[in-house]
Amino acid sequence: MILPKHFVLGACIGVCALLMETSAQAQTVKYTSVALAQSDFMSKLDGEHPGGWDFDIIQLIRPQKSCHRSSQQGGLNTFDGFGFGFNDALSAPNGMNVNMGRSFHFTVLDLLSAETRKCKWGGRFSVGFGVDLRNYRMTGHTRFEELPDKQVVLSDYPEGSIPNSSKMHIFSTTFNLKYIQTFARDFTFALGPELYIVRRPGNRHDIRNRYTLCDENQTNEVKERFKGIRTNKVGVNLVATLNYRHAFGFYVKYSPTNVLDCNYGPSFETLSTGILIMGK
């Protein structure tokens, strides 16, 4: 039996409509199930975290902060401790036998300093100023002596005398720039140049000699002092420090600059080393 064309066309349209309705209902059921499942899951999460969840996408994609944006703040520091140690004269002329074990050195590295914020790897920079007192002591048979024309020379003690000591003191103000690195959590290493300035003339840098004159009848102790010796006004040190938990440590200072004015005294360099007692 041959069905009329309009009947076949109507049947096809009806079947397509039924399929589309069935598909739409299935999709609605699917979406409704997913929505209900998601709602139930979020309800459980809200029950476990009553404060809610805070997902800050900007915070997640924000790049790492640079050195000057670190969360550890820099700032000003006052009195970062002091150091006590010994001096030695390097490349000194013959006859200038400085006894390092009796040539004391005192320094305050930072009376006031300013630090940058700490980088994520623990490094930072610091600038500051302090004070420095160097003592060069000879215990041999020669002494420091200042002549009337301000020349500092190495001379022998008077004949028949018993030498005690010959000391030269140099006081200076220092300005430093340091790179500071913390490692292994408890240790801090610092390295950098230091500029020192010596005010002259001044009573804080002088020469002091002590010896005993002996004759047949008596002995006399002689004390000599020469004030305001001619030093270099400006010099440079290279400073390295290592401390533990900012409580105590060690320091080394090397100065390639001549201490005395080359036109008024012997040329020599300085090496200082000692212990640090930190201020905080």
Side-chain angles (χ1 to χ4, degrees), residues 20-21 30 44 72 79-80 96 132 134 157 188 199 209 232 240 255 278:
M20 291 177 64
E21 183 179 358
K30 179 179 178 181
K44 291 181 179 179
Q72 298 197 20
F79 188 67
D80 202 22
M96 185 177 168
D132 195 275
R134 287 182 265 182
Y157 286 94
T188 302
R199 178 180 172 272
N209 298 327
N232 275 329
S255 177
M278 311 305 292

Side-chain angles (χ1 to χ4, degrees), residues 26-98:
Q27 292 291 336
T28 302
V29 172
K30 179 179 178 181
Y31 294 151
T32 304
S33 300
V34 172
L36 289 175
Q38 184 179 11
S39 175
D40 184 61
F41 177 71
M42 293 305 295
S43 298
K44 291 181 179 179
L45 291 182
D46 290 338
E48 295 177 1
H49 300 273
W53 293 79
D54 182 14
F55 295 98
D56 189 350
I57 296 177
I58 297 177
Q59 186 69 24
L60 292 176
I61 65 175
R62 182 177 295 165
Q64 292 289 336
K65 295 180 180 180
S66 60
C67 175
H68 63 282
R69 296 287 186 181
S70 174
S71 60
Q72 298 197 20
Q73 301 291 328
L76 293 176
N77 299 316
T78 57
F79 188 67
D80 202 22
F82 66 92
F84 181 80
F86 305 95
N87 281 319
D88 194 14
L90 306 178
S91 304
N94 293 331
M96 185 177 168
N97 300 315
V98 173

Side-chain angles (χ1 to χ4, degrees), residues 218-248:
Q218 59 182 0
T219 59
N220 296 316
E221 185 177 8
V222 179
K223 297 181 181 181
E224 297 176 335
R225 185 181 183 188
F226 304 97
K227 300 179 181 180
I229 58 177
R230 295 298 184 98
T231 64
N232 275 329
K233 293 183 178 180
V234 179
V236 177
N237 298 325
L238 180 62
V239 184
T241 66
L242 177 66
N243 71 74
Y244 176 72
R245 291 190 175 181
H246 211 78
F248 66 91

